[in-house]
Amino acid sequence: MVCKGHRIQCRVHSPPPPFQKYHQSGDLILGGIASQARFVSPSITFTEEPPPALLEELVMVPKNYQHILALVFAVKEINENPQLLPNVTLGFHIYDSYLSAKWTYHATLLLTSTLERFVPNYRCGVQNSLIAVIGGLDSEISLHIATILDVYKIPQLIYGSAPVMNDKTPGLPFYQMAPQEEQQYVGILSLLLHFKWTWIGVVVMGNDNEEMFVHTVVPLFSKNGVCFAFLERIPSYSYVTETNTIIQQGAKIRDKVMSSKANVVVAYGESYSMTILRWFPYISELEHIQKKPKGLVWIVTAQMEFASLAYQRTWDTELFHGTLSFNMHSINIPGFSQFVESTNPSRSRGDAFLLDFWQQAFGCVFPNAVGDNADGDMCTGEEKLESLPGTFFEITMISHSYSIYNAVYAVAYALHAMSSSTLKQRGKMGERVLKIQNQQFWQLHHFLGGISFNNSVGDKVSLNQNGKVVAGLDIINWIFSSNQSFCRVKVGRVNPEGSADQAFTISEATITWHSWFNQSRPLSMCTESCHPGSSKKGKEGEPFCCYDCTPCPKWKISEQNDMNDCHKCTDEKYPNKNQDFCIPKTVNFLSYEDPLGISLACFALSFSLITILVLRTFIKHHNTPIVKANNRELTYTLLVSLSFCFCCALPFIGPPQKVICLLRQVSFGMVFSVAVSCVLAKTITVVLAFMATKPGSNMRKWMGKSLATSIVLCCSLIQAGICTVWLALSPPFPDADMHSMTEEIILGCNEGSVTMFYCVLGYMGFLAIVSFTVAFLARKLPDSFNEAKFITFSMLLFCSVWLSFVPTYLSTKGKYMVAVEIFSILASSTGLLVCIFSPKCYVIVLRPELNNREQLIRRKE
């Protein structure tokens, strides 16, 4: 290559020029690489030079033409704004990537080379200054662009998904105008958890970005309780010969999606992915495709616009009705819709995209494009873009176009900042003309990083120091009508900079669901929710979202749906019948308000009073023979102790208190020991008295008050010692038993040492058995003088009561346990009173004639 002056002598074999381009001259050139079309050609054999691409092999996505118009409109606004870049006009060179690496590299090199000549790395003659490149739409295309622009340090502003970066990828200096994909992952997860969709399917288009999506999403979702019914990859294709294979694979995937129990499908892919998914209603490996397949909730990511190819113009859209999409935030720019509507093939100069777009969008042909062999309708050029269905083209600005619009303005504001900085450094503050044509535009990187401005609708556009836009995502509901019309309704927002309650918002009432769900919230679970009162039990070999519901075991509850395990109530509560919530336990103790408690208290007081009356009777007739004959002092002691025995039942009634718990069992044990000791002393006294009456008996020396007193004192002191040891080692104390009764908290006295409690009872039993044995042996003494017979009956009753007390006491709970002990106290005391003293009272009160010495010493014949 030789360059002389302004003459160009270049002998370069240039590749074929691109089919489509859009140029507008200016002082500074802004590059644009769109993704409006792709070539679908026969496969390459690599055994011969492939033929050049044909225009007929070009398949266009008409909707993406709006991306080009957005760039043109932004440049037009900037050039009309004298404040932003005064005396400088922006131009643009726009090429198409055709969604292939070859054409993307070609287009990028054309932008960096001499205008209209393919001469990489050389500047021959006068060349317009390329300041930045807007592109591309898909991640792979953006990566291809970035690898070339990095060599020239030319800024690249990506308006679609960012390239996948790995250890082998250099730190490419691109600027991302779309929100980071991590926001989408968190947003999708928040959406799934909000609606409790835990059983979902995933469909991805196979490339590096999609693999990154899978490797990120699967562990993230699983960690938060979401399982996958299926995860299907649809491979991308480039050649016509691959079409049948792709359709066959798609049919398998379609049948799997439709037969799955999952009603929610997350779709992730590049911009063209929706044109592939639109085949779903028409392909199947089954003999007959269901006329009305089940409805689904599609959740699609921001990269996937709902778009149609030319041959999909009339295809059914029902399958995707109600789709929820995460979209880059966008607002329709004032004047943009009018600018789009004014677009016309006869008035657009330099736009080689427009004719092909027009023909495929309206299904017509221009006469000069096909010669005399035209088939189909002829294009007049007066067709209205607003008449196109939303799946083909939209008049209002869509999200990717909005990102392009903001990207162009970001470059303009960065140029303005760079120029202002240069003027300040040179001290030329009064200079109005921005002479920036000769700037080194790699310096623009410094001003793009961290740039912030408000666009024409007041939206704040900010790039952080890493070159990523600071923005959230809108959640859009896609609504289709039968006439192919299409509209978007904003139903939520993902705002990474918002507070915890504003980071994710959703308005469920404004969502239109697929008609299959009859406008009720769709469910998507492997297993229906386990209701309160049951818990989840995983199925062996199945994902953790698939489980059986098992009732909670006894004493446990589950209060919410889908609980992993049941749990116990607190000690103060107990499960209800359905085991789905806890009921506070009632406090249980034998109180005076209780009919049983007041009855036992009245019984105790009544018999205590009766005992006192008996004592009064005996004291009144203390000089009568029958009172004298029965050892008056011992009788009085026994009656007093019996009166206290009846009163011992009263501390067992009412709420337990510390002092009462300490004294009630001890007082009961002591008083009963005195009473039984008195009975034992009376029995021994009766036996000795009878034996002393025999001729020659030496038993008279044992007779007297000292013997009875010694017996009572000795026996009582032993019990007192046992009680003292009990109180010293482990005394009783108030306690609340929360476990013995399901629905009640039993207030009572914990006996402290159960062993000592039974020692007290055992010692009383020992005294009673000794008294019973002695009385039984003396039962054949003469009747008129034989008190031992009555003592035998009383001790038999006493022992029977307390022997039956032990098993009954151990088998009852709560207030009835206390009632058993009170009953035993009253029954045994009553037995002693009635059996020993009723015959004597009968004689004293009713048969006084029998109360004489002759009757007492008379022996029965």
Side-chain angles (χ1 to χ4, degrees):
M1 178 182 298
V2 180
C3 298
K4 297 180 179 179
H6 294 292
R7 296 183 61 192
I8 301 174
Q9 296 180 4
C10 300
R11 299 181 182 87
V12 178
H13 179 68
S14 299
F19 287 98
Q20 297 165 314
K21 61 184 178 181
Y22 192 174
H23 287 183
Q24 177 177 300
S25 61
D27 298 324
L28 302 176
I29 296 299
L30 189 65
I33 296 183
S35 296
Q36 185 182 357
R38 70 181 302 173
F39 286 104
V40 181
S41 56
S43 59
I44 300 174
T45 61
F46 295 99
T47 58
E48 58 184 359
E49 183 178 354
L54 301 176
L55 188 60
E56 291 77 10
E57 298 171 351
L58 197 64
V59 177
M60 183 174 294
V61 181
K63 178 172 284 192
N64 289 358
Y65 180 66
Q66 194 195 92
H67 303 167
I68 297 171
L69 295 179
L71 190 151
V72 175
F73 179 73
V75 170
K76 175 177 175 292
E77 278 193 341
I78 293 169
N79 288 336
E80 293 173 353
N81 183 356
Q83 303 299 322
L84 189 55
L85 295 177
N87 298 319
V88 174
T89 58
L90 283 182
F92 53 79
H93 294 171
I94 304 174
Y95 297 100
D96 202 318
S97 67
Y98 300 116
L99 293 175
S100 72
K102 180 184 76 170
W103 287 104
T104 302
Y105 285 128
H106 185 193
T108 308
L109 289 172
L110 283 174
L111 290 174
T112 59
S113 301
T114 303
L115 183 62
E116 300 297 339
R117 297 298 301 271
F118 188 77
V119 188
N121 300 328
Y122 284 89
R123 288 192 176 188
C124 296
V126 179
Q127 176 179 333
N128 292 335
S129 299
L130 180 69
I131 55 174
V133 174
I134 310 296
L137 174 59
D138 295 325
S139 58
E140 287 188 354
I141 301 304
S142 298
L143 181 60
H144 299 327
I145 299 170
T147 53
I148 294 179
L149 294 184
D150 183 46
V151 176
Y152 300 99
K153 307 303 179 188
I154 296 174
Q156 175 190 6
L157 290 86
I158 296 173
Y159 62 92
S161 58
V164 175
M165 308 298 287
N166 52 49
D167 295 339
K168 297 180 180 179
T169 306
L172 302 175
F174 56 78
Y175 300 89
Q176 187 175 337
M177 301 305 296
Q180 301 177 49
E181 292 215 343
E182 290 77 6
Q183 292 183 28
Q184 295 193 71
Y185 306 157
V186 175
I188 294 172
L189 177 60
S190 299
L191 186 68
L192 296 176
L193 296 180
H194 174 82
F195 289 108
K196 297 180 175 60
W197 293 331
T198 57
W199 186 241
I200 68 168
V202 176
V203 176
V204 300
M205 308 299 161
N207 61 28
D208 291 343
N209 234 32
E210 281 63 47
E211 288 301 319
M212 181 65 70
F213 172 81
V214 171
H215 290 312
T216 304
V217 159
V218 170
L220 175 64
F221 285 16
S222 298
K223 182 181 178 182
N224 287 275
V226 178
C227 299
F228 299 90
F230 55 84
L231 200 163
E232 297 295 329
R233 293 174 173 84
I234 300 177
S236 58
Y237 73 102
S238 301
Y239 305 110
V240 174
T241 51
E242 298 174 351
T243 303
N244 290 334
T245 303
I246 295 297
I247 291 177
Q248 291 174 1
Q249 292 178 344
K252 293 179 181 179
I253 295 173
R254 181 265 179 201
D255 292 339
K256 191 168 186 177
V257 170
M258 292 301 172
S259 62
S260 172
K261 290 170 57 179
N263 290 326
V264 175
V265 179
V266 176
Y268 182 91
E270 299 291 13
S271 59
Y272 57 86
S273 300
M274 190 54 67
T275 62
I276 298 175
L277 291 178
R278 292 203 64 190
W279 280 88
F280 267 32
Y282 302 99
I283 56 175
S284 174
E285 287 194 324
L286 304 175
E287 292 185 5
H288 301 285
I289 300 179
Q290 298 175 0
K291 292 184 178 180
K292 190 175 181 181
K294 77 167 188 175
L296 295 171
V297 178
W298 291 88
I299 300 176
V300 301
T301 50
Q303 193 65 8
M304 297 174 62
E305 287 280 358
F306 196 93
S308 298
L309 302 177
Y311 62 84
Q312 296 173 327
R313 180 186 304 272
T314 60
W315 282 19
D316 185 27
T317 57
E318 175 64 19
L319 179 64
F320 303 99
H321 181 63
T323 294
L324 296 175
S325 170
F326 286 82
N327 274 29
M328 295 171 281
H329 175 67
S330 63
I331 298 178
N332 194 39
I333 302 297
F336 179 73
S337 295
Q338 293 78 6
F339 175 77
V340 172
E341 291 173 356
S342 67
T343 301
N344 187 286
S346 62
R347 295 193 293 270
S348 296
R349 293 182 299 172
D351 185 359
F353 291 91
L354 182 55
L355 290 180
D356 293 327
F357 157 74
W358 204 272
Q359 291 181 131
Q360 295 208 24
F362 290 102
C364 61
V365 292
F366 286 99
N368 58 347
V370 296
D372 298 330
N373 300 320
D375 294 328
D377 297 333
M378 289 294 178
C379 296
T380 64
E382 299 301 324
E383 291 83 2
K384 300 298 182 181
L385 290 175
E386 57 267 30
S387 67
L388 292 172
T391 59
F392 255 56
F393 191 78
E394 295 184 57
I395 300 298
T396 57
M397 185 171 281
I398 59 179
S399 57
H400 284 114
S401 299
Y402 189 70
S403 296
I404 294 171
Y405 179 85
N406 289 331
V408 175
Y409 266 93
V411 173
Y413 275 101
L415 283 170
H416 181 87
M418 184 174 70
S419 176
S420 300
S421 174
T422 303
L423 290 175
K424 288 179 182 179
Q425 290 176 5
R426 295 178 180 178
K428 297 181 180 180
M429 297 300 295
E431 186 173 341
R432 293 178 177 271
V433 180
L434 294 178
K435 297 181 178 179
I436 58 176
Q437 288 91 333
N438 297 322
Q439 293 286 340
Q440 297 295 321
F441 291 107
W442 56 265
Q443 297 175 350
L444 201 61
H445 287 291
H446 173 72
F447 297 93
L448 277 172
I451 195 170
S452 180
F453 61 92
N454 290 331
N455 63 17
S456 59
V457 290
D459 263 4
K460 184 177 181 180
V461 181
S462 299
L463 294 176
N464 60 27
Q465 292 301 322
N466 295 323
K468 296 181 179 179
V469 72
V470 180
L473 292 163
D474 293 335
I475 303 175
I476 303 299
N477 187 204
W478 294 358
I479 301 174
F480 296 92
S481 300
S482 56
N483 61 356
Q484 295 287 317
S485 62
F486 163 61
C487 67
R488 295 179 174 88
V489 177
K490 181 179 176 180
V491 296
R493 174 81 172 154
V494 177
N495 184 10
E497 295 188 314
S499 58
D501 59 337
Q502 295 295 322
F504 173 83
T505 55
I506 189 75
S507 175
E508 184 175 352
T510 59
I511 298 177
T512 299
W513 303 111
H514 192 282
S515 58
W516 177 274
F517 303 109
N518 198 24
Q519 202 48 36
S520 59
R521 177 192 281 198
L523 300 176
S524 190
M525 298 178 289
C526 181
T527 304
E528 291 188 12
S529 292
C530 291
H531 299 297
S534 62
S535 62
K536 298 190 297 186
K537 182 181 180 182
K539 294 181 179 180
E540 187 175 354
E542 296 284 341
F544 62 85
C545 293
C546 302
Y547 47 80
D548 294 319
C549 297
T550 57
C552 289
K554 195 175 182 181
W555 316 124
K556 289 189 175 183
I557 67 159
S558 62
E559 300 165 301
Q560 300 175 357
N561 289 335
D562 294 329
M563 293 193 68
N564 292 321
D565 197 7
C566 302
H567 63 87
K568 292 183 178 180
C569 295
T570 59
D571 290 341
E572 297 81 10
K573 297 180 180 181
Y574 69 97
N576 68 328
K577 182 178 179 181
N578 295 328
Q579 294 181 270
D580 54 5
F581 67 91
C582 295
I583 303 174
K585 293 181 178 180
T586 57
V587 177
N588 183 332
F589 63 90
L590 188 62
S591 67
Y592 287 103
E593 289 78 15
D594 191 294
L596 179 60
I598 193 63
S599 299
L600 292 173
C602 292
F603 188 89
L605 291 173
S606 300
F607 272 82
S608 179
L609 181 60
I610 292 172
T611 305
I612 293 173
L613 292 176
V614 172
L615 175 61
R616 182 176 178 278
T617 301
F618 269 65
I619 293 174
K620 183 178 180 181
H621 299 85
H622 70 283
N623 288 323
T624 60
I626 197 168
V627 175
K628 291 180 179 180
N630 284 278
N631 194 332
R632 284 180 296 186
E633 290 74 13
L634 202 57
T635 298
Y636 296 158
T637 305
L638 177 57
L639 284 171
V640 171
S641 63
L642 281 177
S643 178
F644 282 113
C645 284
F646 286 113
C647 292
C648 282
L650 297 179
F652 288 87
I653 305 173
Q657 298 176 2
K658 185 175 181 180
V659 176
I660 291 176
C661 288
L662 280 172
L663 298 179
R664 73 179 190 178
Q665 295 288 11
V666 172
S667 60
F668 150 70
M670 286 299 303
V671 171
F672 261 78
S673 295
V674 172
V676 177
S677 298
C678 290
V679 173
L680 178 60
K682 286 177 69 67
T683 307
I684 293 175
T685 300
V686 169
V687 173
L688 292 178
F690 180 77
M691 294 177 64
T693 60
K694 293 182 179 180
S697 174
N698 57 357
M699 290 295 177
R700 287 184 181 273
K701 62 181 179 180
W702 296 101
M703 296 300 294
K705 296 180 180 179
S706 59
L707 176 63
T709 303
S710 299
I711 292 173
V712 172
L713 286 176
C714 289
C715 294
S716 299
L717 287 174
I718 293 173
Q719 184 71 293
I722 296 173
C723 291
T724 301
V725 173
W726 184 9
L727 293 177
L729 296 179
S730 182
F733 57 89
D735 190 20
D737 182 2
M738 299 183 179
H739 305 290
S740 297
M741 301 289 287
T742 303
E743 302 178 6
E744 299 175 350
I745 298 175
I746 302 171
L747 297 183
C749 292
N750 189 307
E751 307 306 345
S753 174
V754 178
T755 302
M756 297 305 298
F757 172 65
Y758 284 109
C759 284
V760 170
L761 292 181
Y763 180 71
M764 282 194 325
F766 170 74
L767 293 179
I769 291 172
V770 172
S771 298
F772 171 74
T773 303
V774 175
F776 180 78
L777 295 175
R779 70 188 185 282
K780 295 184 179 180
L781 294 177
D783 291 341
S784 56
F785 191 68
N786 191 1
E787 193 179 20
K789 184 180 295 184
F790 301 119
I791 294 175
T792 300
F793 285 120
S794 66
M795 288 296 101
L796 180 62
L797 179 61
F798 186 92
C799 292
S800 299
V801 168
W802 288 104
L803 284 175
S804 61
F805 161 77
V806 175
T808 308
Y809 182 81
L810 295 176
S811 62
T812 54
K813 302 292 182 184
K815 63 182 181 181
Y816 299 105
M817 176 184 282
V818 178
V820 166
E821 186 168 0
I822 295 174
F823 177 81
S824 300
I825 292 172
L826 298 178
S828 56
S829 301
T830 302
L832 292 176
L833 179 65
V834 171
C835 292
I836 295 177
F837 292 100
S838 60
K840 298 176 178 62
C841 290
Y842 173 76
V843 172
I844 293 173
V845 177
L846 300 178
R847 299 292 299 274
E849 70 276 9
L850 298 179
N851 190 6
N852 57 65
R853 182 177 176 80
E854 290 75 15
Q855 289 294 328
L856 293 176
I857 63 174
R858 182 173 59 86
R859 294 173 180 265
K860 189 177 180 178
E861 296 296 334

